[in-house]
């Protein structure tokens, strides 16, 4: 085996490893976004249930519940944003990696269509950041509304 063949084989192995790692990381980051959102909703439910479980609360306790709800929306907003940025970095890496692949691979990746029909562009990829952040905002609004109702009812 010549040195050139060895270098070409190493390049192919590195590209295959990078491609596989990026796909795996994107999958992991997307799952983490869903988990963060689900846990945020669970925390909202816990916050809303506290006045019902404990009975009458004073103004300071309601303020603490509002502060906790705000920390949930703020931290959820930040975390899903960080993960969305990480997904975009991995997607950019995938695009650059695919540029190194053969025409046969790219034809199969585009499922037989032309490059014009299936462009490999970052902005064409589906992003759910707006969805996750909307869930946090709507949940925060609902928690605030319910806490105000509970506070006014006492």
């Amino acid at each position: 085996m010549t040195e050139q063949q060895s270098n070409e084989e190493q390049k192919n192995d590195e590209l295959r490893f990078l491609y596989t790692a990026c796909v795996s990381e994107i999958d992991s980051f997307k799952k983490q976004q869903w988990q963060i959102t689900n846990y945020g909703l669970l925390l909202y439910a816990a916050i809303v249930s506290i006045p019902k479980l404990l009975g009458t609360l004073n103004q300071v306790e309601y303020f603490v519940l509002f502060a906790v709800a705000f920390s949930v929306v703020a931290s959820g907003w930040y975390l899903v944003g960080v993960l969305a940025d990480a997904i975009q970095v991995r997607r950019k890496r995938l695009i650059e990696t695919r540029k190194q692949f053969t025409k046969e691979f790219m034809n199969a990746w585009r499922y037989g269509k032309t490059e014009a029909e299936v462009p490999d562009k970052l902005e064409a990829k589906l992003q759910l950041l707006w969805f996750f952040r909307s869930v946090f905002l709507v949940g925060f609004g609902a928690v605030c509304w319910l806490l105000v109702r509970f506070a006014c009812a006492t």
Side-chain angles (χ1 to χ4, degrees):
M1 180 182 283
T2 68
E3 187 177 329
Q4 182 180 359
Q5 288 174 327
S6 176
N7 288 343
E8 189 66 28
E9 193 173 303
Q10 181 179 357
K11 175 187 166 190
N12 291 338
D13 288 343
E14 289 171 350
L15 288 173
R16 187 178 304 115
F17 173 75
L18 179 61
Y19 195 85
T20 304
C22 287
V23 169
S24 175
E25 289 170 350
I26 288 171
D27 179 56
S28 173
F29 294 150
K30 286 181 177 184
K31 286 178 182 174
Q32 288 176 27
Q33 283 182 317
W34 281 105
Q35 288 175 340
I36 288 167
T37 305
N38 289 338
Y39 283 121
L41 292 174
L42 186 61
L43 287 170
Y44 284 151
I47 291 166
V48 168
S49 66
I50 288 173
K52 289 295 184 182
L53 290 172
L54 298 179
T56 305
L57 300 177
N58 62 38
Q59 290 178 346
V60 173
E61 292 168 326
Y62 275 110
F63 177 77
V64 169
L65 291 177
F66 280 111
V68 171
F70 180 77
S71 70
V72 170
V73 72
S75 60
W77 187 281
Y78 173 75
L79 290 173
V80 296
V82 167
L83 289 169
D85 291 342
I87 288 170
Q88 291 302 90
V89 168
R90 285 0 177 248
R91 285 178 171 170
K92 289 176 187 174
R93 287 182 186 157
L94 286 176
I95 290 170
E96 290 302 314
T97 303
R98 281 192 288 268
K99 290 178 181 177
Q100 305 296 318
F101 288 164
T102 64
K103 290 180 184 178
E104 292 80 11
F105 174 86
M106 289 308 295
N107 186 46
W109 182 81
R110 288 190 201 101
Y111 49 94
K113 299 203 179 225
T114 66
E115 188 175 348
E117 293 173 309
V118 184
D120 197 8
K121 295 186 179 177
L122 187 63
E123 55 273 0
K125 309 293 183 192
L126 177 65
Q127 293 188 49
L128 294 177
L129 179 61
W130 62 270
F131 172 76
F132 294 121
R133 286 183 169 171
S134 297
V135 168
F136 274 104
L137 283 177
V138 169
F140 179 70
V143 167
C144 289
W145 176 70
L146 288 169
L147 288 177
V148 167
R149 289 205 49 178
F150 294 153
C152 291
T154 57

